[in-house]
Amino acid sequence: RQHQARGLGHAVWCARRLIGPDESFAVMLPDDVIAAETSCLKQMVDAHAKTGGCMVAAMEVPREKASAYGILDVSEDMGSLVQARGMVEKPKVGEAPSNLAVIGRYILTPDVLHNLEKTEEGSGGEIQLTDAIAQEITEGRNVFGYRFQGERFDCGSKAGFLQATVAFALERPELREELSLF
């Protein structure tokens, strides 16, 4: 339990006693809802089985919106998989290294927990998970971005929540006809 709102990195660090010392673990942010035939996390687990290291879900965003996300600095683009050479949390407009944003699904190694112990407050005065993952790159360990197949809804906003509700309702046969009248 996170007793103070000190950022996502701090929240993950608070769960450290629940994670085995040699186990990779997943982090899923509930405000990122992803509709996909195969779940985003399953796609990532399959890719992670081949690569190891840390992996973050990623998607292209308009450059003008990059400052709202953690952004990957890509060293190698292999299609659905990218090798990261860096990560920047909420870069200033025009300073993002790419438009490949980190979305709320992560597969992380226990090393990230050790990094979080020594991570200082970053963007927004919070302990940023992005900074601890970026430390993995600095220390020569692999970090990958995974371009998942599916549609992401930002349910942290009212509009995103409503879009997700309508999209999922339209997928249900018993609701589709009634909702299609609008």
Side-chain angles (χ1 to χ4, degrees), residues 95-168:
E95 294 183 11
S98 75
N99 69 331
L100 195 57
V102 176
I103 302 303
R105 303 287 183 276
Y106 308 80
I107 298 175
L108 304 173
T109 66
D111 292 323
V112 171
L113 295 172
H114 300 298
N115 297 343
L116 284 168
E117 285 187 43
K118 52 190 174 193
T119 298
E120 296 181 15
E121 291 180 355
S123 178
E126 298 179 336
I127 296 174
Q128 298 292 339
L129 181 59
T130 303
D131 293 342
I133 297 169
Q135 185 63 35
E136 288 297 282
I137 299 166
T138 300
E139 294 178 10
R141 293 188 280 271
N142 287 326
V143 174
F144 297 94
Y146 184 80
R147 288 185 181 104
F148 59 90
Q149 296 294 312
E151 184 176 4
R152 178 244 185 184
F153 298 94
D154 178 2
C155 291
S157 73
K158 291 175 187 173
F161 177 78
L162 290 170
Q163 290 166 353
T165 300
V166 171
F168 281 95

Side-chain angles (χ1 to χ4, degrees), residues 29-152:
L29 304 186
D31 59 340
D32 276 321
V33 175
I34 300 170
E37 190 171 312
T38 300
S39 77
C40 177
L41 190 58
K42 171 70 170 130
Q43 293 174 53
M44 292 173 65
V45 165
D46 291 346
H48 182 264
K50 298 173 187 168
T51 64
C54 290
M55 185 171 290
V56 299
M59 66 178 251
E60 310 279 336
V61 297
R63 283 213 176 259
E64 63 273 9
K65 294 190 178 195
S67 62
Y69 297 90
I71 299 293
L72 294 174
D73 184 0
V74 177
S75 66
E76 184 179 359
D77 191 331
M78 300 162 275
S80 60
L81 199 63
V82 298
Q83 176 88 41
R85 80 171 134 238
M87 296 175 73
V88 181
E89 182 62 31
K90 297 182 178 145
K92 292 179 182 173
V93 176
E95 294 183 11
S98 75
N99 69 331
L100 195 57
V102 176
I103 302 303
R105 303 287 183 276
Y106 308 80
I107 298 175
L108 304 173
T109 66
D111 292 323
V112 171
L113 295 172
H114 300 298
N115 297 343
L116 284 168
E117 285 187 43
K118 52 190 174 193
T119 298
E120 296 181 15
E121 291 180 355
S123 178
E126 298 179 336
I127 296 174
Q128 298 292 339
L129 181 59
T130 303
D131 293 342
I133 297 169
Q135 185 63 35
E136 288 297 282
I137 299 166
T138 300
E139 294 178 10
R141 293 188 280 271
N142 287 326
V143 174
F144 297 94
Y146 184 80
R147 288 185 181 104
F148 59 90
Q149 296 294 312
E151 184 176 4
R152 178 244 185 184

Side-chain angles (χ1 to χ4, degrees), residues 8-42:
L8 176 57
H10 180 256
V12 170
W13 182 80
C14 287
R16 68 195 178 281
R17 289 179 186 85
L18 303 173
I19 300 165
D22 299 322
E23 294 177 331
S24 290
F25 60 97
V27 175
M28 297 175 59
L29 304 186
D31 59 340
D32 276 321
V33 175
I34 300 170
E37 190 171 312
T38 300
S39 77
C40 177
L41 190 58
K42 171 70 170 130

